[in-house]
Amino acid sequence: MTPLPDRYCPTDGNRVPGDSLAWCCPSCRGPLDLDFAPTPAPLKSLTGRVNSLWRYAETLPLSSPSVSLGEGRTPLVELTDRVSAKLDYMMPTLSFKDRGAVMLAELAFRAGPRRVVADSSGNAGTAIAAYCARGRLPCTVYVPLGTSAKKLEQIEAHGARVEVVDGDREAAGAVARRAADEPDTFYASHVYNPYFLHGTKTYVHELWEDLGGRLPDVLVLPVGNGTLLLGAALAVAELYGAGLLDRRPALWAVQAAAVAPLARAWEEGAEELTGTTPVAPTHAEGIAIARPPRARQILRAVRDSGGTFLTVTEDQIRHAQLDLASRGLYVESTGVACWAAVREGALGNRSAVVPLCGAGLKSGLARA
């Protein structure tokens, strides 16, 4: 089996061996990146490969999966003559989080810890629980008070233990991190563990293949902890660096106006979060993150791409969800944020793809 690449802290350069259960930088306690620079395969060489995200094996830090559920290769459908939607809710657990969760579970499967822990507002926890079930790994998921009952039911159905934390998303994360410091524990963090980002980047590799070796002018991406956007940035860099793209798309990051710390920092021209972000209730619970640990990386990725930040109101979220439903696409309220941001003409003549990240059955319709 190929040795695992080292991880490193992007802030201070500390390195963590590839086979270590350490989940953060030993000095600053920040998230880690992966010392891994793959070269993607040319388009023509993908013909006949397995019909899942594992077809992009050259770009993945793990190969020959044991816990796969056939994730990836989701449909791309037109919404307008300039905008298409990638139906990433058509995954085994009904959200795009499967892309990263399979990588974390595969890594945990190989490490063989006493238990796996995760924290989530719902979809990531569901995905981790499902793939841990596939790998017969004991799993505990910490969720904030108020998490959708349907998502809790799905997590428990996969056999994971659910711990409801009396607090918000940050509080759930803090409890999970304390648990992660216990011996022989694997922290399946979709924020701190870089393997998750190397799973989500397959979203863009699929787009590139489906569009015949190109990408749209703009990739519109929802941002809470930024795992899909950072994965997209990785994929774009890989494809462009290999000479498989002639130009890089702009990354447009979308936040709910009710919880928009990154959009505010962007408006202020800051490279990091500034001050304390007020948090109001939002239907976009999956991106309601007040202090994303990878904030600096997210802001830099958007800036380097020539992109921007957009915010959407609760009314825009509700209307976008109903609009998609009228087109035959029933998507959860967080998952419609990107369509809400661009459906009224913000793109002009540019082409774009928006991800529909989670199925509507997970949380139902957004209500006024």
Side-chain angles (χ1 to χ4, degrees):
M1 189 175 293
T2 305
L4 298 173
D6 285 352
R7 287 161 288 156
Y8 68 93
C9 176
T11 301
D12 57 26
N14 279 327
R15 299 184 73 82
V16 175
D19 59 357
S20 170
L21 289 178
W23 58 268
C24 66
C25 173
S27 56
C28 75
R29 302 278 287 181
L32 299 170
D33 283 345
L34 202 61
D35 189 3
F36 180 64
T39 300
L43 190 64
K44 62 182 180 181
S45 71
L46 299 176
T47 302
R49 293 193 181 190
V50 61
N51 193 37
S52 72
L53 62 80
W54 297 93
R55 69 195 282 109
Y56 310 107
E58 292 88 349
T59 72
L60 299 175
L62 298 169
S63 59
S64 304
S66 301
V67 299
S68 174
L69 291 167
E71 56 287 328
R73 301 297 292 146
T74 54
L76 185 66
V77 301
E78 276 193 5
L79 294 178
T80 72
D81 61 347
R82 306 293 294 175
V83 183
S84 294
K86 189 158 174 60
L87 311 191
D88 250 28
Y89 64 84
M90 295 181 67
M91 289 276 197
T93 76
L94 309 182
S95 93
F96 87 95
K97 295 289 177 63
D98 289 4
R99 294 186 183 277
V102 67
M103 301 298 291
L104 295 186
E106 183 67 28
L107 188 61
F109 181 81
R110 298 183 187 198
R114 176 175 57 87
R115 67 168 180 163
V116 175
V117 300
D119 56 282
S120 170
S121 59
N123 284 340
T126 297
I128 296 296
Y131 285 95
C132 281
R134 183 72 165 174
R136 298 292 187 265
L137 295 164
C139 178
T140 300
V141 181
Y142 297 88
V143 300
L145 193 66
T147 298
S148 164
K150 293 180 180 180
K151 293 178 181 178
L152 296 180
E153 180 181 331
Q154 192 178 4
I155 293 171
E156 291 176 327
H158 291 306
R161 176 183 173 186
V162 173
E163 292 282 351
V164 179
V165 176
D166 187 10
D168 60 11
R169 181 67 183 80
E170 271 194 75
V175 175
R177 289 191 290 275
R178 287 197 292 272
D181 285 332
E182 296 177 11
D184 203 20
T185 299
F186 181 92
Y187 183 24
S189 172
H190 58 292
V191 181
Y192 284 82
N193 194 311
Y195 279 80
F196 195 91
L197 306 181
H198 283 271
T200 62
K201 75 183 181 185
T202 59
Y203 170 87
V204 167
H205 283 288
E206 289 179 19
L207 279 181
W208 171 78
E209 182 181 1
D210 289 343
L211 294 173
R214 62 181 182 85
L215 289 173
D217 299 324
V218 179
L219 293 173
V220 189
L221 301 155
V223 173
N225 278 310
T227 55
L228 184 55
L229 183 139
L230 291 173
L234 280 173
V236 169
E238 290 169 3
L239 291 165
Y240 187 79
L244 298 174
L245 279 178
D246 57 5
R247 57 170 180 77
R248 302 177 188 234
L251 304 180
W252 285 19
V254 179
Q255 295 206 285
V259 188
L262 292 160
R264 187 178 74 174
W266 178 265
E267 290 173 2
E268 295 173 355
E271 295 184 357
E272 185 57 274
L273 295 185
T274 57
T276 302
T277 299
V279 176
T282 176
H283 293 298
E285 62 179 6
I287 53 174
I289 307 298
R291 297 198 64 80
R294 294 187 184 269
R296 178 180 288 271
Q297 290 176 273
I298 296 165
L299 290 162
R300 184 173 65 245
V302 174
R303 186 175 295 111
D304 289 350
S305 77
T308 191
F309 275 80
L310 302 173
T311 60
V312 290
T313 67
E314 299 305 293
D315 278 346
Q316 286 176 305
I317 290 170
R318 284 193 295 271
H319 294 154
Q321 188 181 34
L322 291 171
D323 179 63
L324 286 173
S326 74
R327 299 166 185 257
L329 303 168
Y330 188 36
V331 185
E332 70 171 332
S333 47
T334 298
V336 307
C338 292
W339 178 234
V342 302
R343 63 187 285 254
E344 295 177 2
L347 287 162
N349 291 324
R350 287 165 287 208
S351 61
V353 171
V354 299
L356 305 184
C357 297
L361 293 174
K362 283 177 167 280
S363 54
L365 285 172
R367 303 293 182 184

